[in-house]
Amino acid sequence: MSREVDLVVVGSLNIDLTAGVQRHPLPGETVQATALTTSAGGKGANQAVAAARLGARTALVGRVGADAHGDTLLAALRADGVDTAHTRRDRSAATGTALISVAATGENSIIVSAAANAQLCPADITAAQPLIASARVVSVVLEIPVATAAATARAARAAGTRLVLNLSPVVDLPAEVLSAADPLIVNEHEAREILQRNGFPVPDEDIAHASALLQLGVRSAVVTFGPRGAAVAEPDRAEHVPGVPADAVDTTGAGDAFAATVAWRLSQGDPLPTAARWATLVGACSVQQPGAQPSYPKLDRVLSTADAAPPK
């Protein structure tokens, strides 16, 4: 089957309200913000934009409200060439919102109001079935209802499309979703939570985290460790992918950039370890700029950072 789209992302769209702080507040404490910015975000939209900037033909399935924030998000997606034909306006709910604080160290803390994202339903996936069937890879992000993620897994399986599952935030998923994940992508904290929820011991070594996740029935797994890189596991092998040194300004959205890059490179036929090496490079580029979508690099910047030598 001819594939007309490299990547279809099924996920959330949020308007990001980001406050810069010297440090995150303690419970009950008020701290003064050094800056406040408004930008386009949401894990689904972030992935779509990150992949599109790298050159992927990308579409997004999601929902926004019929409000000014929805206008902003759709305009941002279209400016980066993302197909928004299946990103619906919802008149019954507001656009999703993320409240983000970023400390001087670059570490962030995020509170999300799902709003319209919670209205994305299996019927939306049915309507997008021809789009999914035209894609090389589908990426699903868990800021949407579990039933919708399950419908996406079924649609991808029916179309013979590879499914990337970014289980962030961590929720309990049916076996049919986990068994379709190729790969499951999580960070080290999410990996620990998933293993503990399922009664599996948490390994001491980074590389073993990804291998341990295969016990969930996923086809492959990637665990990110920030500046330490990532661990990749498939049934017949596991390896560590070194991190790329970077002076972090803001880590917001770096995980989304990582997952998007993995999905993009898989759509281009790369093996999973190579895709993860690309992703660590793109992630390192993204943390050097403030914000989520505003920080995502285009391919020429990534190649310049890699001294024009693409990962292999």
Side-chain angles (χ1 to χ4, degrees):
M1 177 187 296
S2 175
R3 302 290 184 174
E4 299 178 357
V5 179
D6 294 319
L7 175 63
V8 171
V9 180
V10 179
S12 59
L13 301 91
N14 294 323
I15 201 75
D16 287 351
L17 304 178
T18 304
V21 294
Q22 285 300 312
R23 60 177 178 81
H24 297 300
L26 299 172
E29 182 185 22
T30 298
V31 297
Q32 188 73 33
T34 57
L36 178 68
T37 60
T38 302
S39 59
K43 288 182 175 295
N46 287 351
Q47 285 198 23
V49 167
R53 287 191 187 163
L54 295 169
R57 298 167 297 173
T58 308
L60 176 63
V61 179
R63 287 205 191 194
V64 294
D67 51 28
H69 286 332
D71 294 339
T72 298
L73 293 176
L74 289 173
L77 289 163
R78 292 165 183 161
D80 278 299
V82 176
D83 181 346
T84 61
H86 287 275
T87 304
R88 294 182 54 191
R89 305 299 297 261
D90 193 320
R91 298 191 178 280
S92 66
T95 297
T97 303
L99 308 176
I100 305 168
S101 65
V102 180
T105 59
E107 290 299 314
N108 62 60
S109 177
I110 305 174
I111 299 173
V112 175
S113 172
N117 296 307
Q119 305 304 313
L120 188 67
C121 65
D124 295 317
I125 306 306
T126 300
Q129 180 68 50
L131 175 66
I132 290 170
S134 75
R136 294 177 176 178
V137 173
V138 171
S139 179
V140 62
V141 193
L142 263 298
E143 281 185 330
I144 59 173
V146 169
T148 308
T152 304
R154 289 192 295 271
R157 182 181 291 109
T161 302
R162 186 167 187 165
L163 183 77
V164 173
L165 172 63
N166 187 196
L167 189 45
S168 179
V170 175
V171 298
D172 293 325
L173 291 176
E176 67 174 325
V177 181
L178 293 172
S179 65
D182 191 15
L184 165 68
I185 302 178
V186 291
N187 64 31
E188 60 181 311
H189 309 294
E190 293 158 346
R192 183 179 301 109
E193 181 178 352
I194 292 168
L195 292 171
Q196 291 173 338
R197 279 192 183 198
N198 287 274
F200 300 126
V202 179
D204 293 327
E205 297 182 353
D206 287 357
I207 194 171
H209 281 70
S211 296
L213 290 174
L214 297 182
Q215 299 173 91
L216 299 172
V218 300
R219 300 182 185 186
S220 58
V222 180
V223 181
T224 62
F225 296 93
R228 302 203 306 276
V232 176
E234 298 174 285
D236 59 345
R237 63 177 174 177
E239 66 179 86
H240 175 255
V241 175
V244 175
D247 294 325
V249 172
D250 182 358
T251 60
T252 304
D256 302 327
F258 183 99
T261 306
V262 168
W264 165 58
R265 291 314 308 174
L266 291 176
S267 79
Q268 301 306 297
D270 282 357
L272 185 56
T274 300
R277 283 190 281 274
W278 272 98
T280 56
L281 181 58
V282 172
C285 288
S286 76
V287 301
Q288 297 178 60
Q289 302 292 330
Q293 291 179 29
S295 74
Y296 295 155
K298 293 190 174 181
L299 184 57
D300 56 354
R301 181 180 159 216
V302 176
L303 293 176
S304 174
T305 301
D307 296 324
K312 297 180 180 179

